[in-house]
Amino acid sequence: MHIHTTASDGTWDPAQVVTAVCNAGIEFFAISDHDSVANVEETRRLADAAGLRFVSGVELNSTKDGHNYHILGYGIDTNNRPLLELCRHNQKLLEQKDDDSVQNLIDRGWPLSMEEFAQYSYDPHRGGWKALAYLQDKNLCGDVNDFFRRIFTAENNLGFPDFPSIGEVVKVIHDAGGIAICAHLASDFHGAGMQEYLPRLVDENLDGFECYHSGHSVENSRLLAHFCRRHKLYISGGSDCHGSFVPTRHLGVPKIRTEMLYLPWLQ
């Protein structure tokens, strides 16, 4: 239920995703690209031809109290105008952050050029995003972990932009006919972890949580699933696979059976 493609920062195009899903023995899946639905309908067509069950998805950036949250939207109408406008809005914020990041590094003496960066392009099949690929090609950055550990840091005065609020994002997902699920709350992405951030989200109009994730411990997955069952919230899960871009995440890991989940399409 959580796979990324070349429409955001994954290395697989729709055909490669469907091939990988088949090879992994997965029968029901979604792609959920960051702030994009560009590859959803092509993936749906290929999934139907392969006899797979597929649901449309997206992963939207949001901000609350200065912290970045990823909200998964499932069962969405990919032609919904407000949804597409939100995707474009978030993409523009990220593109501006790429520009600001490179300029920030230039101001700190890094051997970079804004003129060169403006003309720079890269093959989306390598995964990632423009600033990361540019720095890698300049031999100034290693993998994605190096980028977030050494470059995209508070010390360099770099951080995520302020995205629309969780409430705004959830409303757009609901108006597009979907359900809104908070992604990977117990992963390292959230720093202080689930115990810190879950209480901050109880008043949001979320439909559920991604309880099973490649970055969750077994215990945290169990606790989050118990919380969802107790509060009658939807339970989702996925690998958050980006193809080869994030080599520590593998399709089908963690192994999720449909009875572990609570989603409208599985009942």
Side-chain angles (χ1 to χ4, degrees):
M1 296 297 293
H2 196 158
I3 304 170
H4 291 276
T5 77
T6 51
S8 61
D9 54 349
T11 62
W12 294 335
D13 57 39
Q16 291 170 313
V17 167
V18 171
T19 296
V21 166
C22 289
N23 290 341
I26 294 168
E27 298 175 348
F28 178 63
F29 75 106
I31 61 169
S32 48
D33 281 310
H34 294 289
D35 304 303
S36 175
V37 293
N39 279 346
V40 171
E41 294 311 318
E42 175 66 7
T43 305
R44 185 195 306 278
R45 183 183 68 80
L46 294 170
D48 288 346
L52 301 169
R53 295 179 64 191
F54 176 79
V55 64
S56 57
V58 68
E59 186 172 18
L60 296 166
N61 277 288
S62 68
T63 299
K64 179 173 183 174
D65 299 329
H67 188 75
N68 184 214
Y69 294 90
H70 291 176
I71 309 301
L72 295 158
Y74 291 126
I76 48 168
D77 173 7
T78 58
N79 294 311
N80 179 267
R81 182 175 296 178
L83 173 66
L84 295 175
E85 289 174 351
L86 176 57
C87 286
R88 283 192 291 267
H89 173 77
N90 281 0
Q91 288 169 9
K92 287 180 179 178
L93 289 178
L94 291 168
E95 290 165 2
Q96 184 61 54
K97 177 55 66 173
D98 263 4
D99 290 346
D100 293 345
S101 297
V102 172
Q103 184 61 60
N104 180 289
L105 295 175
I106 291 171
D107 294 342
R108 291 172 178 272
W110 289 52
L112 304 169
S113 162
M114 283 304 299
E115 292 77 13
E116 181 181 54
F117 183 64
Q119 299 298 318
Y120 176 79
S121 63
Y122 68 102
D123 181 358
H125 284 88
R126 67 190 284 181
W129 52 93
K130 185 179 177 181
L132 171 61
Y134 177 62
L135 292 170
Q136 288 174 323
D137 287 347
K138 300 292 286 186
N139 295 316
L140 294 171
C141 182
D143 61 10
V144 60
N145 293 321
D146 182 42
F147 180 84
F148 283 113
R149 181 178 62 250
R150 189 173 55 87
I151 297 173
F152 199 77
T153 66
E155 289 75 17
N156 284 334
N157 199 30
L158 294 175
F160 289 105
D162 286 329
F163 295 103
S165 69
I166 293 176
E168 292 175 87
V169 170
V170 169
K171 184 178 187 305
V172 168
I173 291 171
H174 287 167
D175 289 349
I179 63 170
I181 304 286
C182 183
H184 48 61
L185 190 64
S187 73
D188 289 343
F189 178 82
H190 291 282
M194 179 178 69
Q195 287 75 16
E196 172 72 22
Y197 292 109
L198 182 58
R200 304 185 187 187
L201 301 179
V202 294
D203 292 330
E204 300 290 348
N205 196 26
L206 291 161
D207 298 303
F209 289 86
E210 184 179 47
C211 298
Y212 305 100
H213 181 270
S214 53
H216 287 189
S217 69
V218 172
E219 177 64 11
N220 279 339
S221 290
R222 185 188 67 80
L223 290 172
L224 196 51
H226 176 73
F227 174 85
C228 288
R229 292 189 188 97
R230 187 176 60 187
H231 295 280
K232 296 181 172 56
L233 297 170
Y234 289 129
I235 297 172
S236 183
S239 61
D240 204 352
C241 180
H242 289 64
S244 61
F245 176 60
V246 184
T248 57
R249 299 178 190 170
H250 305 285
L251 198 65
V253 179
K255 187 174 182 179
I256 301 170
R257 302 181 305 276
T258 54
E259 61 266 24
M260 296 165 61
L261 306 180
Y262 177 53
L263 292 169
W265 311 279
L266 297 177
Q267 309 316 310

